[in-house]
Amino acid sequence: MRLCFLPRLAGTVRFRCCCFVTILALGTFFYFLLNAIITHSTKNQCARCYEAIDVVYTWVNGSDQIFLDKIKLYVDSPDRARYDDKNELKYSLRSLDKFAPWIRQIFIVTNGQIPYWLNLDHPRVRLVQHDDIADEETLLPTFSSATIETFIHRIPGLSKNFLYMNDDIFLGAPLFPDDLMTLSEGVKVFTAWLVPDCAPDCPWMFVGDGSCDSHCYLEECQFDGGDCDHPDYQEHEHEHEHDDEYHMMTEAEDAFIDVLKRVPRGAKKADSVRDIYEVFRQSNTSSSTKQLVEKFNRDKMKSSKISSKRHQSKGDSESEHGGKSEERFSNSQDIFARSLIHTNKVFNRVYGFKNRKVLAHVGFLLNVDIAEGMLEKFESEFAVTKSHRFRANDDMQYAFTYYHFLMSESRNKTVSEIFDDFDTDGSGTWSDREIRTLLAKIYSLPLDWSAVRYFEEVVTNCSLQQNNFLPLEHQPEQRLVYPTLVYERYEDSTIPTVTKGLVLGCHELADMMRVNFGQVPLHRFHINQKTGIFSNFKMLTSNITQVVDALDELRKSPKKFNCINDNLAEESAEENQLISALLEDFYLSLFPVRSQFELENNYRNRFQYYNDYKAWLSRKTLLRNAVYAVCVLVFVVCTKMLCFRHKGKFARTLIFFSSSSSSRTDYNSI
């Protein structure tokens, strides 16, 4: 009898094991689900503490023959050295992994190429093609970095603030978010040298400075910003139109030289120009001589401005680049320099004439919304840039445009807002202390009593007019009583109560507020005066000795941002090959350890282009999902079959026990 129960018991054990496996599988599923929820919650908490920042790289493999053949479809002789790949992106990512691990995601914008060493399965790395993010106005394919930069902010899933990096920039020291932006100061702007001169002997500081400069009266310099259109300068534009006038000027010049020869040796010639003119005017006066002396004075002022400009440029270069001036950008009229001049001319038309500086070679912290506003503001100018397959003279320089747009945009504050700014105690009126602060911000210090008295008279007259009184000078015998509020007025104060309604209704006060405090920057920014501490820039040529010295200087003092740009001569192939080896050795000396974004050393990507990889990945994903679906279906069917089978056996066992117990009961009753 007991042996008959063994198969039934074995079936019951299998049923329990089946149920246990099912419960274990469900428990594992819920464990991973809960872990994912907790991880997502933790990430959201971190995002609330620190706003996420992504990195965007622009990269191209110029060593790819297919890429070079594509360029030849649009240009006969492409610049191979410009597009040559020296693995800069790999070492830049190593520096990012080492010195900025807080970066959320890394987007690499390419024309469809794939770095052979890149780990495409890494969750923080994503390749983006030009075709996927470029707008309809962009001419594709494009080989211009100026064009590509116009649509990098359109990447789906990109953080609101993102760091834009070129592949030739690497980090040499720990980088933190507050190195790029702080809550108190806003975005940090790293400027370098002045915009290249628009013409020889005409720096941009001469244009629009209120003084007519003949060297700047050119279309390239926007005709001196309109300075020579002033009536006082009209006569200088036609100095040599008539020969007789020219000969008169020559004779006057000879006479003036004779006077200069009679100046004593001990006289200070630097500050005696106008004195000489006065002496000469008394001895031999003529209109031509007067024009000559004025021209001499203008030339002296111009030479003084030129020397001042050179001194300023030299000081800027030495302070910001360790004593090495960037002569390539100030003297050479290459495409980059000419596009900078073009962009600066656009800004002069929109925001007025100013001395603007080029941005240093650093990573640029950009904002998606500001980039959209910039492209909308200069829509027609950027439309020209988007129509270029290669760099052109009339390109809008992206980084220069972005940061100067950020610094130039402003908004107008209302008089009510300005009143609230000075109403520090929120009482709705200006106390004497608050008025003192207002006057200190308007007038030069120390405050003169006449300025204070003028303000009191304006407030008094406006108060009388609003209360239907006549001005004070029309009622000298009437004594006015002014209310004195507690903690608002000094004991000897005679000024009426200054309310917001009084300021809004008083045209003199309202205009004063608008002129002095009405225009404020739209975006918060801070110009970093110590750019040299944050950035290094080295230009590599085909001179091996200079390259070795430049790389050793980078080894000695790496900064947070280091840019190695190359200007190798294409005809020096043998030297360029050695320089590439030296550059690889330099990178390995700083970053010898493989980053998490790379494949292992004995592996490389199977595909060279992203379209091939996506097609293979879609097929792989489809097959994997199908296998997963089949496995799940088989598991569910087997589980159901086992459960139903053992459930039937268990039911038959119960029936057997119940029938046996009933037979025993009947036997006992007998």
Side-chain angles (χ1 to χ4, degrees), residues 16-32:
R16 291 177 178 176
C17 290
C18 177
C19 294
F20 175 75
V21 171
T22 305
I23 294 172
L24 181 63
L26 292 175
T28 305
F29 171 75
F30 283 113
Y31 168 77
F32 283 109

Side-chain angles (χ1 to χ4, degrees), residues 177-238:
D178 54 4
D179 291 327
L180 308 171
M181 178 179 62
T182 60
L183 295 177
S184 60
E185 297 177 333
V187 180
K188 292 187 178 180
V189 183
F190 299 92
T191 57
W193 51 90
L194 293 170
V195 175
D197 298 346
C198 56
D201 297 329
C202 182
W204 281 107
M205 64 182 299
F206 286 11
V207 180
D209 63 346
S211 174
C212 180
D213 301 286
S214 59
H215 294 286
C216 301
Y217 195 73
L218 305 169
E219 183 178 0
E220 294 79 6
C221 300
Q222 297 175 296
F223 296 102
D224 200 24
D227 291 339
C228 294
D229 296 337
H230 194 276
D232 295 342
Y233 301 116
Q234 291 294 330
E235 59 184 16
H236 305 307
E237 300 177 19
H238 310 285

Side-chain angles (χ1 to χ4, degrees), residues 148-162:
I148 296 170
E149 290 167 343
T150 60
F151 51 73
I152 58 175
H153 67 284
R154 296 166 55 92
I155 298 175
L158 183 65
S159 60
K160 185 176 180 180
N161 295 314
F162 65 96

Side-chain angles (χ1 to χ4, degrees), residues 11 29 31 63 125 166 168 197 212 262 275 296 323 346 388 417 429 515 522 528 542 549 635 644:
F29 171 75
Y31 168 77
S63 304
V125 175
N166 290 323
D168 57 0
D197 298 346
C212 180
R262 294 197 296 270
D275 296 338
F296 180 80
V346 173
H388 297 153
E417 290 178 307
T429 60
V515 170
L522 184 61
N528 195 301
S542 296
D549 293 340
F635 176 76
F644 281 122

